[in-house]
Amino acid sequence: MTTVGYGDITPSKSSKTEMVVAMLSMVLGTTVFAHVITAVMGMVINFDPAQRQTKQALVQLNDYMKEKRLPTAFRRQLRDHYKHFQELGIDAVYSYNRSVFVVTKDHRCFATGENTYNKMAFQSGDPAYGLTTVPTFEEITHPTLQGQIAKVGVGWGHCMYLLTDGTIWGCGYNAHGQLGTNNNTNSQVPVRPYDNYEMVTDVDCAHVWSAWIKNGQVWSCGNNDHDGNHNRRQGHNNNSTNSRQPRQWLTYHFSTADRLLLADDQSWMIDTTGMLSATGHRGRYRLRNNTNTYLHYAHKCQGPNNSGYMTDVVDIGGGRQWVVILAKDGKVYAGGYGSPGMLGQGNHTSYDYPLRVKAPEGSGYTYFDVMVTVVQVGGAYDTVYAIDSEGGLWSWGDNGNMQLGHSFDQSSVSLPARVDTGGRHVLRAYRTHPSHGLYWLFVPGFGFLTKMCAYLNESPTWFLVGERCKEIEDS
């Protein structure tokens, strides 16, 4: 204190030098003091960085709600939902045939819906143990899986769980060898495939078969002859024999496999270069290299308008003998079986090659991807959906059970139509069953999850993961 003139020693009023030194001392002391306080505050804040990020996101949410002038009651509801889901940190949702699995960022997994053959791996003492239908989201607590699940491949009566250490475990129905255990014995507890497969990077399941990527190559097991149609959908031999142990796909036309998509009678694979390959159904309603016969190995898919090959693929969705494709340049294509309207061409015509999806009538645009910027595509069975960069959800195809989520009563929709989500921004969308509708995750504008919605035959049901299922009145 004495150096700045507040103690026993003060600068001389007649000495400019002493006055300058005193002022510089004050500035330097204040700067050092501020720096020390800032450093201490930073240490205190970083004691819990997750809480700090949560508070920052909450500030963003409040700013967003204020900008949009949302009703007070709805603002309070959004805050509550955000805090709830922020605690869980939902990372992904996987679904098939009335079953839904939610994986959190800390690799916990919650499941609800159909639980045939205990494919959800519940054990004695769990609330859902012994139930064939699980009415609420329950956590999978089996010691082999709990807190280690990175992805879930969901089939009709079985599941394949990819863990964070790169290993896979199967559980449930195994009559066709879909668990890869070299037998057809069902298992109500997680089991390893034959030969203890490790270093797995992706896994997927369909009705009664499974596939995964190990060291850049695809392996599959289970039923290879769905409904006796000699589909050869597993791509590892030239016959329709089921495989009880994993077999490697014949890899004539792709490099390192990156992502899988399995459907009931065909399979799709994107390699690390963005090349799309397919194998499976023998009918003409499937993408292939200019052939109308089944393929017993993964073959490069035809390019747009039957020219070249389908490259630079970033996202795909597929159902019964059709596929929808999102390319790197933002264009959206669809090809294969066209009835009732899955190809988005305004008709029910089928094509052996992909065509650009058209824009809705009256929009003033020719193509859907010119009207909006598409960031995700997907679908299952005979239903297609897409999400644009503004969080808008679009769907088309079969609507016999009102599963597309539209207010109008049409049995099919052959061009993209916007789903009314009440102004909510959709993050991801999912399909689970032919007679059920779209499940979607939506966000209030900038990336975090608030709810998951399912449309089941026109009845909107709101699911809160980790709580009892209940309906919530929309504000």
Side-chain angles (χ1 to χ4, degrees):
M1 297 290 285
T2 58
T3 58
V4 294
Y6 295 101
D8 296 333
I9 302 175
T10 59
S12 172
K13 296 181 181 180
S14 60
S15 174
K16 293 183 180 180
T17 302
E18 292 184 11
M19 294 292 289
V20 170
V21 169
M23 288 187 291
L24 291 176
S25 298
M26 292 181 66
V27 172
L28 180 61
T30 303
T31 302
V32 172
F33 180 76
H35 177 73
V36 171
I37 294 298
T38 302
V40 172
M41 290 300 297
M43 293 174 59
V44 172
I45 291 175
N46 286 319
F47 282 153
D48 191 351
Q51 184 179 14
R52 174 173 55 83
Q53 292 176 358
T54 298
K55 291 181 178 179
Q56 288 177 344
L58 203 54
V59 171
Q60 290 179 304
L61 173 60
N62 289 329
D63 292 341
Y64 173 84
M65 294 188 296
K66 182 178 180 180
E67 178 185 349
K68 297 299 181 181
R69 298 180 181 179
L70 298 180
T72 302
F74 189 46
R75 295 187 189 189
R76 183 165 52 251
Q77 190 179 36
L78 282 178
R79 291 190 194 98
D80 291 341
H81 288 315
Y82 169 66
K83 293 176 181 178
H84 172 71
F85 282 106
Q86 187 66 26
E87 292 175 358
L88 287 177
I90 290 178
D91 183 59
V93 176
Y94 305 100
S95 59
Y96 183 85
N97 197 48
R98 303 186 183 96
S99 302
V100 182
F101 293 75
V102 174
V103 177
T104 65
K105 291 181 179 179
D106 59 358
H107 305 296
R108 298 163 64 194
C109 184
F110 298 82
T112 187
E114 192 170 82
N115 186 34
T116 48
Y117 299 93
N118 196 39
K119 65 182 179 182
M120 295 176 178
F122 292 122
Q123 56 184 342
S124 179
D126 290 338
Y129 180 72
L131 298 179
T132 56
T133 301
V134 181
T136 63
F137 276 99
E138 301 290 348
E139 184 174 4
I140 297 175
T141 60
H142 194 283
T144 302
L145 307 176
Q146 187 179 23
Q148 304 176 72
I149 297 176
K151 185 176 180 179
V152 184
V154 189
W156 172 73
H158 79 291
C159 288
M160 299 296 290
Y161 298 91
L162 173 60
L163 304 189
T164 54
D165 62 1
T167 61
I168 51 173
W169 297 76
C171 190
Y173 186 55
N174 194 37
H176 302 272
Q178 56 264 47
L179 298 185
T181 53
N182 202 27
N183 58 52
N184 59 356
T185 303
N186 301 334
S187 179
Q188 294 196 8
V189 297
V191 292
R192 292 289 299 274
Y194 180 77
D195 229 4
N196 292 327
Y197 276 84
E198 301 175 342
M199 299 178 66
V200 176
T201 57
D202 194 19
V203 66
D204 200 9
C205 298
H207 191 68
V208 285
W209 67 294
S210 312
W212 56 87
I213 298 175
K214 170 185 168 65
N215 292 330
Q217 299 299 314
V218 183
W219 297 75
S220 60
C221 54
N223 189 291
N224 198 31
D225 182 21
H226 184 55
D227 293 334
N229 287 328
H230 302 286
N231 293 324
R232 281 78 164 178
R233 58 191 173 188
Q234 292 191 42
H236 54 56
N237 56 31
N238 59 0
N239 58 54
S240 57
T241 304
N242 299 341
S243 177
R244 297 178 181 177
Q245 70 181 61
R247 294 187 180 183
Q248 186 175 350
W249 280 18
L250 301 180
T251 55
Y252 296 153
H253 294 286
F254 62 83
S255 55
T256 303
D258 183 61
R259 179 181 170 187
L260 288 170
L261 173 65
L262 306 189
D264 283 348
D265 49 10
Q266 68 273 314
S267 53
W268 312 89
M269 190 279 302
I270 304 174
D271 68 16
T272 52
T273 69
M275 176 73 72
L276 180 65
S277 300
T279 182
H281 197 279
R282 68 181 181 181
R284 69 183 180 87
Y285 306 128
R286 192 181 62 79
L287 296 183
R288 58 178 56 78
N289 182 24
N290 197 26
T291 177
N292 292 331
T293 59
Y294 60 80
L295 295 173
H296 58 266
Y297 57 87
H299 206 293
K300 291 185 290 187
C301 295
Q302 284 297 105
N305 300 313
N306 207 24
S307 176
Y309 297 109
M310 195 68 239
T311 59
D312 293 328
V313 176
V314 296
D315 198 15
I316 56 173
R320 295 188 291 189
Q321 305 175 43
W322 61 269
V323 68
V324 60
I325 302 164
L326 175 61
K328 186 177 180 180
D329 59 8
K331 295 178 181 178
V332 180
Y333 302 91
Y337 191 58
S339 179
M342 294 85 72
L343 305 189
Q345 299 298 310
N347 54 47
H348 293 182
T349 305
S350 302
Y351 293 89
D352 288 338
Y353 49 85
L355 298 172
R356 282 181 74 179
V357 174
K358 294 183 178 180
E361 292 183 357
S363 65
Y365 295 90
T366 302
Y367 298 113
F368 176 53
D369 51 58
V370 176
M371 182 181 69
V372 296
T373 301
V374 178
V375 296
Q376 181 201 344
V377 295
Y381 301 97
D382 296 332
T383 297
V384 195
Y385 66 80
I387 298 174
D388 65 36
S389 59
E390 299 298 322
L393 177 64
W394 302 76
S395 63
W396 62 97
D398 181 29
N399 195 40
N401 293 289
M402 300 292 290
Q403 62 264 47
L404 295 182
H406 302 305
S407 58
F408 48 83
D409 184 8
Q410 291 180 209
S411 60
S412 65
V413 179
S414 57
L415 289 171
R418 178 88 179 246
V419 178
D420 183 6
T421 60
R424 303 177 183 89
H425 291 234
V426 176
L427 177 62
R428 298 286 295 179
Y430 305 89
R431 286 277 288 115
T432 63
H433 189 266
S435 62
H436 292 183
L438 291 169
Y439 285 67
W440 63 78
L441 309 181
F442 61 83
V443 296
F446 48 84
F448 59 76
L449 174 67
T450 58
K451 295 181 188 175
M452 180 169 65
C453 178
Y455 266 81
L456 309 180
N457 299 330
E458 298 186 84
S459 177
T461 303
W462 307 93
F463 293 94
L464 294 183
V465 181
E467 295 184 359
R468 306 290 295 181
C469 280
K470 59 183 178 180
E471 292 192 4
I472 299 176
E473 181 180 357
D474 187 4
S475 299

